[in-house]
Amino acid sequence: MLGRLRDVYQHDFIEYAAGYSMLIGALLLIGYLTYKKKWKWLWKEYITSLDPKKIGMMYLAVAMLSLVKGLVDALMMRAQQALSVGESHGYLTSDHFQQLFTAHGTTMIFFVGMGIIFALMNLIVPLQIGARDVAFPFLNAVSFYLYAVGAGLMVLSLVIGEFSAAGWVCYPPLSGLAYNPGVGVDYWIWSVQIAGIGSLLSGLNFFVTIVKMRCPGMTLMKMPIFIWSILGTLVLILFAFPILTATIGMLTLDRYLDMHFFTPDFGGNPMMYINLIWAWGHPEVYILVLPAFGVFSEIVAVFSQKRLFGYVSMVWALAAITFLSFIVWLHHFFTMGASANVNAFFGVMTMLIAVPTGVKLFNWLFTMHRGRILFTTPMLWFLGFVFIFVIGGMTGVLMSAAPADYQIHNSLFLIAHFHSTIIGGVVFAFFCGLTYWFPKIFGYKLNERLGRYAFWCWMLGFLLAFMPLYFLGLMGATRRLDHYDVTTGWQPLFIVAAAGVVLISIGVFFQVLQMIVSYRQRKENLDTTGDPWNGRTLEWSLPSPPPEYNFASIPQVHGIDAFWSMKHEKVEHKRHYEDILMPKNTPLAVLIGGFSFLMGFCLVWHIMWLAGLSLAGVIICMVIRLSEKNTEHLISAKEVQRLT
Amino acid sequence: MRGVHEKHLEETYSKTVFGFWTYLMTDCILFGTLFATYLVLHNNTFGGPSAPELFSMPFALTETLILLTSSFTCTLSKLAAYRGDKNKVIGWFAVTFLLGLAFIAMELNEFSHLVHEGNSWRRSGFLTGFFTLVATHGLHISTGLLWMIILIIPVCRHGLTPVSLKRLTCLRMFWHFLDIVWIFIFTIVYLMGSL
């Protein structure tokens, strides 16, 4: 009846503390909402809303909470490594340490990285292409809830049961039933699978949105460069995520039905998993970083007060990266022992990616050249990105030489490399974009001074935390190390790295403070014009925050930087108002999310009858949605005119 | 001037059909992954039976013909839909449904035979790959059958509305797509397996 849920799981003190602090946090939040009588508001304005702007804000909330959780994981790991040397074994058990690094990676990629990408897509894409909505608003809400369900399942594993200890890409045979019979890997499987399906659906939705819903005149080569970067990402999502779904599906079958895809005996092939997961995994890193490139391309032009240098070459660079990212996956495991020719092919392809990326970097620098640069916080994040990303990129090219990779494979050098690209690229771009678009989304600017403090903490913290890892890696320190010998002499460097993470945490503290202070001073920093930065793209032509229907009348576009030319050509546009249909709120999306959560939980604990019922619940919700009529409400032309 | 509702319907139709195409392409990659895995594993019989010992060509050919016929009847429903002939649409979908059901029944029959002879998915990497690939296709077909029921009931009750026509178009695309996938399964699993 209750599956495996009857088994009692023993936690140690630290695991209890983590679990209960989550519980107490959730209870405090619930108490606060009840006290402020905010439930109805939350339900009407956000939970049941199909407005991509609202859904984007919810993505933001989940992604930022996940970021804090992932950061706490990182702090705990580095603290352990600073302490656990020689006689001392630190404060974490080996098993808990393994769960921590698995949870850290899974959180940061699936729930922070993907979360912020989809947040930006929801918030910005319709505004930049002159559309009122996304192609499938209901599907968009469902995708969000599937993503949130994944994050929720992972957090739940802190309280009920345990999380996977098999690393964030969950390699078999370690993640197989024979070596990992507990529920940890199952938690990983279902949280990633459900969130992954959400990402796939969302990718499809935005792909159709960009292809089909651009405003008149916006041909492909007149799209804002951010939209191009998103389009590249979407193509990658459409190609890569089905592979993830299938691969995790096969791992699931191995674990649940005793199949032999990846088992070491019965003719299974564990290396097949590793090939497949990286056939998804390598495009995934470009899924994360292409939008980051897009964000930087936007803000460099705006804050240099010039048009972007080399638009066409930017587009082709994006396309080249999109293509190349599918033929380099093997560089994640050169040590598999493929023949020298195979390794050479993948090595050369990997090196090639540096070319279009270099093109982009030079284009950004040339955009700045002879521009009137405004050193606002977004610009600081951009410059920090250039410095760190170039280091990350060059170490990447270094590792793409297979012989060198044999030496530093799975060492801390690799960890330092990909954190340079992902923190320097994706995370910095997120903060950059958030500061830039914050007034558009919320209607007031963020506090600049606290933003600068946060930037410098992140920047210096990053250098302290990851530069030592390059050296440690070259000295032979492998990743995922929870204990090492005194004679290695590594401890001072590990202590520096831990201090770096503390500095980053102070940066996050400043960011939280920045949010609070900016909210309290919002009256002084209101964005009344809708165009606080002298922007170039269509979103700045709208009031901040934009109305539900975004555009009262759909704009006509004649070139790149559409809003810039509208401002400067001073052509009087005769506004034509029309009736607008917008989707009504619906509780069905969140219901589908709820049933999926229950289904994931039941599958983890082998409560199959309830999992089946939850699946039926999902299907019934979909059928109800299909049979609903009048899912839109009409805003009449008169009403639109009155509101503008 | 066209009303806002008509314009909305038209836009939704084009977005939905394009979106569904895109979905089918992602599904294609999912099958591609399973095909790749099957091809990697298909010699790993671990001492168990290999493909020529297990599969019967006439049986697989019958399955194929049934499925191809169902695709044909499915297209006939499209012609009926163009003429606005509600009863024929329902009729041809009913035929398609029965053919699909027959296909699933044959497949389940084959599976149960294999399992009874001790050649289940637990036996070897090859059989794991075979069962997963073929059953994933079967699961899609079953979903298609369920979907037919869900879509045909409103057609019976309210006739051929623009919304139901749009959904039937997607369903037909889905059905043809599964046919194409099956042709690959027939070629790679059964035909090449019998060599």
Side-chain angles (χ1 to χ4, degrees):
Chain A
M1 190 72 178
L2 284 176
R4 293 191 184 170
L5 207 50
R6 284 164 305 194
D7 307 346
V8 184
Y9 272 84
Q10 289 292 328
H11 292 274
D12 64 20
F13 171 71
I14 291 165
E15 287 168 334
Y16 270 126
Y20 282 112
S21 62
M22 286 280 174
L23 267 185
I24 291 167
L27 285 178
L28 279 178
L29 187 68
I30 292 171
Y32 176 79
L33 288 170
T34 314
Y35 175 71
K36 287 270 184 182
K37 298 200 171 69
K38 288 281 189 187
W39 282 109
K40 204 173 165 190
W41 165 81
L42 195 68
W43 179 260
K44 266 185 71 177
E45 291 292 317
Y46 288 92
I47 294 177
T48 59
S49 173
L50 298 188
D51 183 347
K53 295 184 285 294
K54 299 284 174 62
I55 293 173
M57 286 187 212
M58 292 196 283
Y59 267 113
L60 271 187
V62 178
M64 286 197 209
L65 287 175
S66 303
L67 179 66
V68 173
K69 178 188 172 290
L71 185 68
V72 172
D73 291 340
L75 265 170
M76 290 174 77
M77 285 188 288
R78 288 287 175 255
Q80 165 77 6
Q81 288 175 323
L83 297 171
S84 173
V85 51
E87 296 290 297
S88 159
H89 280 265
Y91 68 108
L92 293 175
T93 60
S94 242
D95 183 58
H96 191 192
F97 187 82
Q98 286 161 3
Q99 287 186 41
L100 273 178
F101 67 63
T102 309
H104 173 78
T106 312
T107 309
M108 288 304 195
I109 297 292
F110 290 99
F111 304 119
V112 181
M114 294 309 282
I116 59 187
I117 300 298
F118 285 124
L120 288 181
M121 277 193 215
N122 272 286
L123 293 168
I124 305 304
V125 166
L127 302 183
Q128 274 201 343
I129 62 173
R132 293 206 167 107
D133 205 340
V134 294
F136 311 110
F138 180 71
L139 189 68
N140 194 25
V142 172
S143 310
F144 164 72
Y145 283 111
L146 293 181
Y147 155 80
V149 162
L153 271 178
M154 204 182 137
V155 170
L156 191 66
S157 74
L158 275 176
V159 187
I160 309 175
E162 55 183 354
F163 196 62
S164 164
W168 80 276
V169 275
C170 223
Y171 281 177
L174 180 59
S175 60
L177 210 51
Y179 301 96
N180 246 315
V183 293
V185 175
D186 299 326
Y187 263 118
W188 182 88
I189 284 179
W190 293 109
S191 64
V192 172
Q193 184 69 301
I194 293 174
I197 291 173
S199 302
L200 180 58
L201 293 175
S202 209
L204 190 149
N205 200 344
F206 278 91
F207 181 70
V208 178
T209 305
I210 293 180
V211 172
K212 284 274 180 188
M213 294 173 71
R214 279 168 288 132
C215 62
M218 190 181 277
T219 54
L220 284 177
M221 289 313 267
K222 285 176 188 158
M223 294 199 301
I225 197 79
F226 177 69
I227 300 296
W228 262 113
S229 72
I230 294 288
L231 192 61
T233 283
L234 294 170
V235 171
L236 288 177
I237 290 178
L238 292 176
F239 277 97
F241 268 80
I243 308 179
L244 179 73
T245 306
T247 311
I248 299 182
M250 289 188 257
L251 184 64
T252 314
L253 291 172
D254 268 8
R255 287 182 63 86
Y256 281 74
L257 292 179
D258 297 323
M259 288 206 181
H260 300 291
F261 282 110
F262 310 126
T263 52
D265 52 1
F266 286 95
N269 187 345
M271 280 323 290
M272 189 63 197
Y273 179 90
I274 296 173
N275 271 290
L276 287 175
I277 200 84
W278 285 114
W280 159 78
H282 196 84
E284 166 69 14
V285 306
Y286 287 93
I287 288 169
L288 296 178
V289 90
L290 287 183
F293 292 164
V295 170
F296 289 130
S297 307
E298 293 289 329
I299 73 106
V300 168
V302 167
F303 293 108
S304 304
Q305 308 190 61
K306 269 176 70 187
R307 67 182 284 180
L308 183 72
F309 184 90
Y311 174 90
V312 178
S313 63
M314 278 302 210
V315 171
W316 281 108
L318 282 168
I321 295 174
T322 304
F323 175 72
L324 285 174
S325 65
F326 267 102
I327 44 175
V328 296
W329 78 87
L330 197 123
H331 70 211
H332 291 266
F333 45 94
F334 279 140
T335 50
M336 173 172 81
S339 73
N341 285 339
V342 172
N343 278 358
F345 171 81
F346 282 95
V348 171
M349 289 303 127
T350 308
M351 289 174 201
L352 266 184
I353 288 198
V355 176
T357 316
V359 168
K360 301 188 77 63
L361 264 168
F362 281 112
N363 279 344
W364 290 319
L365 297 180
F366 285 133
T367 307
M368 287 172 70
H369 180 63
R370 306 195 85 180
R372 263 177 280 168
I373 300 167
L374 304 167
F375 281 100
T376 52
T377 335
M379 206 59 187
L380 289 181
W381 288 112
F382 167 71
L383 293 170
F385 151 79
V386 170
F387 181 66
I388 293 176
F389 195 78
V390 167
I391 296 175
M394 288 195 309
T395 50
V397 175
L398 193 156
M399 281 191 294
S400 70
D405 186 74
Y406 266 72
Q407 190 59 34
I408 41 187
H409 179 79
N410 266 356
S411 72
L412 285 176
F413 189 90
L414 163 81
I415 303 300
H417 154 71
F418 76 70
H419 281 86
S420 297
T421 51
I422 292 188
I423 294 184
V426 183
V427 180
F428 278 26
F430 169 57
F431 295 142
C432 170
L434 188 65
T435 321
Y436 174 61
W437 279 307
F438 197 89
K440 182 50 62 191
I441 307 163
F442 294 96
Y444 53 94
K445 278 193 185 183
L446 280 173
N447 185 301
E448 276 281 311
R449 177 194 290 265
L450 286 168
R452 277 201 298 276
Y453 290 171
F455 166 75
W456 283 111
C457 287
W458 267 94
M459 183 73 192
L460 298 176
F462 177 86
L463 292 176
L464 279 181
F466 290 99
M467 290 306 133
L469 299 197
Y470 281 117
F471 297 105
L472 281 168
L474 290 175
M475 288 150 83
T478 56
R479 70 196 293 196
R480 298 169 177 166
L481 206 59
D482 67 329
H483 183 75
Y484 50 92
D485 204 73
V486 191
T487 51
T488 53
W490 293 340
Q491 197 184 21
L493 286 173
F494 271 119
I495 292 175
V496 174
V501 185
V502 172
L503 197 53
I504 290 178
S505 311
I506 297 172
V508 171
F509 168 75
F510 276 126
Q511 286 170 312
V512 175
L513 198 64
Q514 184 193 26
M515 296 273 177
I516 297 169
V517 169
S518 311
Y519 178 72
R520 297 186 70 122
Q521 301 175 343
R522 67 188 178 283
K523 296 238 163 59
E524 294 122 70
N525 297 319
L526 275 188
D527 170 28
T528 47
T529 59
D531 182 21
W533 311 112
N534 195 9
R536 316 176 74 85
T537 37
L538 283 177
E539 74 271 31
W540 303 109
S541 69
L542 300 171
S544 304
E548 182 198 358
Y549 45 80
N550 295 351
F551 292 87
S553 62
I554 297 291
Q556 168 83 37
V557 166
H558 302 288
I560 309 165
D561 293 341
F563 180 52
W564 186 263
S565 44
M566 280 180 200
K567 276 192 290 191
H568 291 269
E569 283 161 16
K570 299 267 181 234
V571 186
E572 272 302 307
H573 287 285
K574 222 178 149 190
R575 284 183 163 237
H576 160 73
Y577 297 104
E578 55 183 3
D579 293 350
I580 299 173
L581 275 180
M582 295 304 293
K584 278 184 199 162
N585 285 8
T586 170
L588 282 169
V590 69
L591 266 177
I592 289 181
F595 280 124
S596 314
F597 186 81
L598 191 61
M599 186 180 79
F601 181 75
C602 292
L603 285 168
V604 167
W605 292 97
H606 291 250
I607 313 172
M608 292 307 170
W609 61 275
L610 195 51
L613 281 184
S614 332
L615 181 64
V618 171
I619 295 173
I620 289 168
C621 284
M622 292 198 290
V623 173
I624 293 176
R625 177 70 189 175
L626 282 178
S627 53
E628 268 181 349
K629 294 198 170 57
N630 303 323
T631 50
E632 280 95 17
H633 66 100
L634 185 95
I635 309 171
S636 69
K638 270 204 188 118
E639 177 77 4
V640 176
Q641 192 161 17
R642 193 181 62 80
L643 286 171
T644 38
Chain B
M1 197 191 138
R2 286 177 309 161
V4 61
H5 287 279
E6 285 78 50
K7 195 175 157 211
H8 181 75
L9 265 179
E10 224 170 79
E11 284 172 1
T12 317
Y13 182 85
S14 109
K15 281 185 286 195
T16 307
V17 172
F18 179 66
F20 201 77
W21 259 112
T22 316
Y23 155 72
L24 289 182
M25 292 306 104
T26 64
D27 219 16
C28 193
I29 292 168
L30 185 128
F31 274 111
T33 312
L34 294 178
F35 273 114
T37 313
Y38 175 77
L39 284 173
V40 167
L41 296 181
H42 82 288
N43 284 327
N44 300 3
T45 52
F46 202 66
S50 59
E53 298 162 49
L54 289 180
F55 305 140
S56 139
M57 274 311 286
F59 191 83
L61 190 65
T62 318
E63 279 182 302
T64 310
L65 289 177
I66 289 177
L67 206 59
L68 288 179
T69 317
S70 83
S71 229
F72 179 64
T73 55
C74 187
T75 308
L76 289 180
S77 84
K78 179 179 172 180
L79 298 177
Y82 277 150
R83 290 193 303 271
D85 192 338
K86 171 185 152 187
N87 289 334
K88 277 213 173 131
V89 171
I90 297 170
W92 284 124
F93 262 111
V95 176
T96 312
F97 181 86
L98 290 177
L99 288 168
L101 207 60
F103 173 84
I104 284 294
M106 284 187 79
E107 190 166 301
L108 287 177
N109 184 32
E110 185 191 15
F111 283 1
S112 78
H113 266 291
L114 284 173
V115 173
H116 274 293
E117 288 160 9
N119 297 320
S120 77
W121 53 84
R122 291 192 180 86
R123 183 71 189 81
S124 68
F126 153 63
L127 281 165
T128 289
F130 164 77
F131 271 100
T132 307
L133 175 59
V134 179
T136 304
H137 177 266
L139 205 61
H140 275 76
I141 293 276
S142 313
T143 312
L145 294 178
L146 182 67
W147 193 6
M148 275 182 210
I149 299 174
I150 292 172
L151 288 195
I152 286 299
I153 291 172
V155 174
C156 294
R157 285 168 56 188
H158 309 293
L160 293 168
T161 61
V163 174
S164 65
L165 284 175
K166 175 187 80 183
R167 289 176 183 160
L168 289 178
T169 306
C170 291
L171 176 56
R172 273 194 298 266
M173 280 156 61
F174 186 66
W175 202 255
H176 293 318
F177 166 73
L178 292 180
D179 230 35
I180 297 170
V181 173
W182 177 260
I183 288 172
F184 278 91
I185 291 180
F186 178 69
T187 314
I188 291 175
V189 176
Y190 292 99
L191 217 56
M192 283 163 62
S194 70
L195 293 178

